């Protein structure tokens, strides 16, 4: 039995979902593990983000703030050169986890805080390497792992798995048993909604 979490570390709704998810995992029954898969929101891209897309994402941040109270640092849009590229951040999570069990979730949080609170750009390899060092990983080993064939293969495997279970947006959280997959969150939901659903399934204490 496991929780399946499909997300992208640069998905703003996943940032908002971080608190409800944490409240759930702190109460999970001990025999349930959390399996995290990268959803791959946007492929590699070196081009500056289109102005219309910049406006659309900024508006989304404002909407999330208003609905959930989640904090965003809007200086990102003036201090950084945004690109529509989240695959590097996904590879960073995979790389961290391959180097140390549990480091993937730490890397997710580091990327989210860098992006949404510190106005740093996780589409940049230099930022990701700095974050790896800040979370206690060896910088050179991480840089090599980030560019490795194995990491890319894992990312592609995550993407195939995500598609195979019908994920169309993030965050996606589901409870997996021998009987199949029971969705808990298809897109953002509040802490109260999430815990209520989890209680009905009997997966939290």
């Amino acid at each position: 039995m496991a929780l399946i979490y499909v997300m992208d570390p640069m998905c703003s709704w996943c940032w908002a979902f971080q608190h409800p998810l944490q409240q759930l995992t702190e109460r999970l029954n001990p025999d349930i593990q959390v399996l995290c898969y990268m959803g791959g929101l946007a492929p590699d891209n070196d081009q500056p983000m289109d102005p219309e897309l910049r406006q659309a994402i900024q508006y989304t941040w404002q909407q999330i703030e208003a609905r959930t109270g989640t904090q965003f640092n809007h200086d990102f849009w003036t201090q950084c050169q945004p690109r529509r590229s989240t695959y590097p951040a996904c590879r960073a999570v995979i790389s961290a986890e391959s180097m140390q069990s549990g480091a993937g979730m730490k890397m997710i949080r580091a990327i989210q805080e860098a992006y949404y609170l510190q106005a740093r750009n996780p589409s940049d390899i230099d930022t990701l390497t700095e974050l790896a060092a800040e979370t206690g990983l060896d910088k050179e080993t991480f840089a090599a792992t980030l560019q490795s064939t194995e990491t890319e293969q894992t990312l592609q495997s995550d993407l195939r798995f995500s598609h195979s279970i019908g994920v169309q947006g993030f965050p996606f959280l589901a409870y997996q048993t021998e009987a199949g997959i029971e969705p808990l969150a298809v897109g953002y939901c509040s802490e109260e909604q999430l815990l209520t659903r989890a209680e009905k399934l009997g997966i939290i204490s």
Side-chain angles (χ1 to χ4, degrees):
M1 297 182 292
L3 281 186
I4 294 174
Y5 182 40
V6 183
M7 61 88 68
D8 189 294
M10 292 181 68
C11 162
S12 49
W13 282 109
C14 293
W15 168 235
F17 189 62
Q18 186 273 334
H19 178 73
L21 178 66
Q22 182 178 349
Q23 298 306 303
L24 173 65
T25 55
E26 288 177 354
R27 293 178 55 184
L28 267 184
N29 294 339
D31 59 334
I32 300 174
Q33 60 179 326
V34 180
L35 304 178
C36 187
Y37 296 88
M38 295 296 97
L41 193 61
D44 299 308
N45 187 353
D46 291 329
Q47 299 302 311
M49 190 179 292
D50 180 271
E52 291 184 1
L53 182 57
R54 286 176 61 126
Q55 290 183 346
I57 296 177
Q58 289 179 70
Y59 179 72
T60 297
W61 287 17
Q62 293 164 0
Q63 293 294 104
I64 294 173
E65 277 183 324
R67 175 177 167 184
T68 70
T70 304
Q71 185 179 355
F72 290 85
N73 184 347
H74 298 275
D75 289 342
F76 173 83
W77 299 100
T78 55
Q79 295 181 6
C80 296
Q81 176 63 271
R83 304 195 312 280
R84 186 63 168 164
S85 182
T86 73
Y87 277 23
C90 292
R91 294 189 193 98
V93 175
I94 292 168
S95 299
E97 184 63 26
S98 72
M99 292 173 64
Q100 185 180 92
S101 179
M105 295 303 287
K106 291 180 181 178
M107 179 60 74
I108 288 173
R109 187 58 185 263
I111 290 170
Q112 290 176 330
E113 292 184 353
Y115 185 26
Y116 296 114
L117 300 181
Q118 302 164 9
R120 298 161 70 184
N121 193 347
S123 294
D124 295 339
I125 300 301
D126 288 347
T127 299
L128 297 171
T129 306
E130 291 166 3
L131 293 175
E134 290 168 16
T135 58
L137 297 175
D138 181 79
K139 198 171 183 178
E140 292 185 1
T141 303
F142 175 84
T145 306
L146 187 64
Q147 306 289 346
S148 71
T149 300
E150 290 78 11
T151 296
E152 177 62 21
Q153 288 174 341
T154 301
L155 173 59
Q156 294 303 320
S157 176
D158 279 15
L159 299 180
R160 287 193 296 271
F161 174 76
S162 172
H163 294 154
S164 74
I165 62 173
V167 176
Q168 296 182 335
F170 317 119
F172 176 89
L173 184 68
Y175 180 47
Q176 183 180 42
T177 67
E178 293 180 356
I181 293 177
E182 181 73 29
L184 281 165
V186 180
Y188 175 83
C189 71
S190 69
E191 175 186 339
E192 181 181 1
Q193 291 171 320
L194 185 61
L195 294 180
T196 297
R197 294 168 188 171
E199 285 175 350
K200 289 181 179 178
L201 291 173
I203 63 175
I204 59 176
S205 55

